Amino acid sequence: MEGSASTEPRDRPFQLLATIALAGICLWVIRTEFPRVVSDHGLWDFGAFLASGRAAAAGLDPYGIYPPLTPHVIFPGFEAWNPNLNPPISALLFQAFDIAEPGWSLRIWWVISIASYVAAVALLLRRYSYGLHHGLIAIWAFALAGFWDTLYLGQIYMPLVLIAVIAWLRLERGDDVFAGIMIGLLISMKPNFAVWPVLLFLAGHRRPSLISFATAAVIAVMPLAIFGPGIYLDWLRLVATDGERAVFLTNASFAGLAARAGFPAVGTVLAVSLLLALAAWAFRRSPPVISVSGLALVASLLASPLGWIHYTLFLLPVLLHHWQRPWAWMAGTALIIPVPIILGYFGAPRLIQLTAGSVYAWALVLVLAGLVISERARRSAPAQEGFLR
């Protein structure tokens, strides 16, 4: 298995100390974040989803702003409403959130989210076991900033993370049909992950790619049949006018970095360049399915206009596949920094926001660089073996 080479004996004491240190930091993060999440802090994004579902049920615009349910975010130099930005199928799904009093609905959703995340982590631990690191990985996974902020906001990412993990593992086992269905479910709610099946197709892994797009298309027809084409126009109009939120510090994409640097157009250039480069690489090299999937998941975040910290949970299989590599540890450590610490840089000088305030984005850049280096090493390995023979 790539990334699971045995450690040299002389490195083991250092690795043990690093493991203990990281575990200690993770436990501190968990102890700090738990009170914040369980406090009475309102509905936040869950309120936006609840409002969207109610509006759809009443024949109103599910992408409108409905105070007080729709959250209004204010920080130094930043102010924005946070309506539902998910595709139209969400207008149907979010109606289920209104089956109980909002506070109880949020808690029920927390239980569903945590159960989904536990299942995802358990599946990955079963697949990627690193002996001493096994317990650390479990602690680390539950210290990630994306995990705690997803719960705090009442977001929907964790069941989707489970879907992505299942897709990754089934692809690894050659189960193209089930993997394709899972990827289709994922992109039907988070279209930025369409990068995944596109790169799979270009790399020659056609069946899971086509099945995923067919699955997503079937799901997309449902709201079209119920609400009509107007709901897609409302959604696209909202997405197209939501660029002001790119500067928010928990946006880890190229667009976020460029907006904080004061050159928002550069983010688009970087995103398009990355996608074109990966498309050319996949088409010319026909890499293995896991190599494609790792880079596709990272690109889905970096090239997205809004690559929130919560999206980094989708990198769990990528990081664990490469867990023995230093860059995976470094990026994983950066991604446990609690969101309130990062938000504290709002109002700081631009350079501070672009460096310390953008640590999540730089962690993704590090993962991208690590995957590129790993891919080059994988390609050069057969040539080196042939030379030695």
Side-chain angles (χ1 to χ4, degrees), residues 15 19 125 128-137 323-324:
Q15 196 175 68
T19 300
L125 287 176
Y128 299 107
S129 176
Y130 293 102
L132 175 66
H133 293 161
H134 199 87
L136 168 63
I137 292 172
W323 190 249
Q324 294 288 354

Side-chain angles (χ1 to χ4, degrees), residues 244-377:
E244 64 180 11
R245 291 204 293 164
V247 74
F248 202 76
L249 292 179
T250 56
N251 179 16
S253 69
F254 282 146
L257 276 175
R260 291 189 283 274
F263 304 99
V266 174
T268 302
V269 173
L270 290 173
V272 172
S273 299
L274 174 61
L275 294 177
L276 290 177
L278 288 178
W281 161 76
F283 183 74
R284 293 176 56 193
R285 300 292 184 178
S286 299
V289 67
I290 291 302
S291 295
V292 175
S293 297
L295 281 162
L297 286 172
V298 177
S300 297
L301 275 61
L302 283 172
S304 175
L306 298 174
W308 302 122
I309 177 60
H310 321 92
Y311 280 114
T312 61
L313 298 179
F314 291 91
L315 299 183
L316 278 172
V318 181
L319 291 172
L320 295 193
H321 187 76
H322 296 275
W323 190 249
Q324 294 288 354
R325 302 183 185 276
W327 58 262
W329 271 58
M330 292 172 64
T333 302
L335 294 176
I336 66 173
I337 299 174
V339 165
I341 292 178
I342 300 302
L343 295 184
Y345 291 109
F346 261 116
R350 176 170 289 176
L351 181 60
I352 300 298
Q353 293 195 45
L354 187 59
T355 51
S358 299
V359 66
Y360 299 145
W362 293 118
L364 293 191
V365 172
L366 176 60
V367 174
L368 175 63
L371 289 177
V372 170
I373 293 170
S374 298
E375 175 59 17
R376 287 181 176 176

Side-chain angles (χ1 to χ4, degrees), residues 99-355:
I99 61 174
E101 184 271 331
W104 277 105
S105 290
L106 175 59
R107 285 162 177 76
I108 292 170
W109 184 246
W110 278 353
V111 172
I112 294 172
S113 295
I114 293 172
S116 299
Y117 193 70
V118 168
V121 172
L123 287 172
L124 289 172
L125 287 176
R126 182 180 178 185
R127 170 63 182 88
Y128 299 107
S129 176
Y130 293 102
L132 175 66
H133 293 161
H134 199 87
L136 168 63
I137 292 172
I139 299 172
W140 166 79
F142 287 92
L144 286 168
F147 169 75
W148 289 103
D149 210 54
T150 292
L151 292 177
Y152 183 86
L153 297 177
Q155 264 287 355
I156 63 171
Y157 295 100
M158 292 184 198
L160 299 177
V161 169
L162 175 59
I163 288 172
V165 166
I166 293 172
W168 174 284
L169 296 175
R170 299 320 299 175
L171 280 175
E172 201 174 35
R173 293 195 174 190
D175 187 352
D176 293 343
V177 175
F178 195 66
I181 293 172
M182 291 294 102
I183 296 174
L185 292 175
L186 174 62
I187 64 176
S188 69
M189 281 298 290
K190 297 297 177 183
N192 53 311
F193 286 104
V195 175
W196 194 357
V198 168
L199 290 185
L200 286 174
F201 184 89
L202 292 173
H205 309 289
R206 303 287 167 80
R207 189 159 65 160
S209 174
L210 294 175
I211 290 173
S212 67
F213 281 119
T215 302
V218 170
I219 294 173
V221 168
M222 296 179 188
L224 189 66
I226 295 173
F227 300 112
I231 193 170
Y232 275 95
L233 295 176
D234 292 337
W235 173 56
L236 292 173
R237 189 180 302 113
L238 176 62
V239 171
T241 58
D242 197 54
E244 64 180 11
R245 291 204 293 164
V247 74
F248 202 76
L249 292 179
T250 56
N251 179 16
S253 69
F254 282 146
L257 276 175
R260 291 189 283 274
F263 304 99
V266 174
T268 302
V269 173
L270 290 173
V272 172
S273 299
L274 174 61
L275 294 177
L276 290 177
L278 288 178
W281 161 76
F283 183 74
R284 293 176 56 193
R285 300 292 184 178
S286 299
V289 67
I290 291 302
S291 295
V292 175
S293 297
L295 281 162
L297 286 172
V298 177
S300 297
L301 275 61
L302 283 172
S304 175
L306 298 174
W308 302 122
I309 177 60
H310 321 92
Y311 280 114
T312 61
L313 298 179
F314 291 91
L315 299 183
L316 278 172
V318 181
L319 291 172
L320 295 193
H321 187 76
H322 296 275
W323 190 249
Q324 294 288 354
R325 302 183 185 276
W327 58 262
W329 271 58
M330 292 172 64
T333 302
L335 294 176
I336 66 173
I337 299 174
V339 165
I341 292 178
I342 300 302
L343 295 184
Y345 291 109
F346 261 116
R350 176 170 289 176
L351 181 60
I352 300 298
Q353 293 195 45
L354 187 59
T355 51

